[in-house]
């Protein structure tokens, strides 16, 4: 937890929880991925896009919703089954 300058991430890491999103600094992203892979983090919250990029074993995957916003012209659309399966591992 002391390896990050991001106060919110430092606070959650101390509790064994972290978040993973496109706005994370690359060094924070590596820190979160390493901590999750080693078991130091028991709960990782990630966006659907990055959840597919976290190639680490999980015991439980919770998907908050099965639709995604695709812009004002399209609105919310269902996430396809293949994407959901990929996110679940």
């Amino acid at each position: 937890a002391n390896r990050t300058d991001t106060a919110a991430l430092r606070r959650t890491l101390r509790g064994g929880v972290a978040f993973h999103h496109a706005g994370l600094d690359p060094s924070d992203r590596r820190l979160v991925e390493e901590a999750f892979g080693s078991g130091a983090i028991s709960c990782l919250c990630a966006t659907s896009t990055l959840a597919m990029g976290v190639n680490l074993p999980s015991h439980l995957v919770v998907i908050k919703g099965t639709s995604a916003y695709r812009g004002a012209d399209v609105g919310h659309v269902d996430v396809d089954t293949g994407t959901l399966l990929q996110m679940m591992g």
Side-chain angles (χ1 to χ4, degrees), residues 59-71:
H59 295 286
L60 174 68
V61 174
V62 176
I63 296 177
K64 184 179 174 200
T66 58
S67 68
Y69 186 72
R70 300 293 185 216

Side-chain angles (χ1 to χ4, degrees), residues 51-52 56 58 60-63 81-89:
M52 291 177 30
L56 300 167
S58 300
L60 174 68
V61 174
V62 176
I63 296 177
T81 304
T83 300
L84 291 172
L85 291 171
Q86 176 69 31
M87 287 179 0
M88 290 187 278

Side-chain angles (χ1 to χ4, degrees), residues 27-62:
S27 61
D28 284 346
R29 192 177 298 186
R30 279 190 301 279
L31 172 65
V32 167
E33 291 171 357
E34 289 169 7
F36 186 73
S38 72
I41 295 173
S42 57
C43 179
L44 177 61
C45 301
T47 61
S48 58
T49 303
L50 290 179
M52 291 177 30
V54 179
N55 192 18
L56 300 167
S58 300
H59 295 286
L60 174 68
V61 174
V62 176

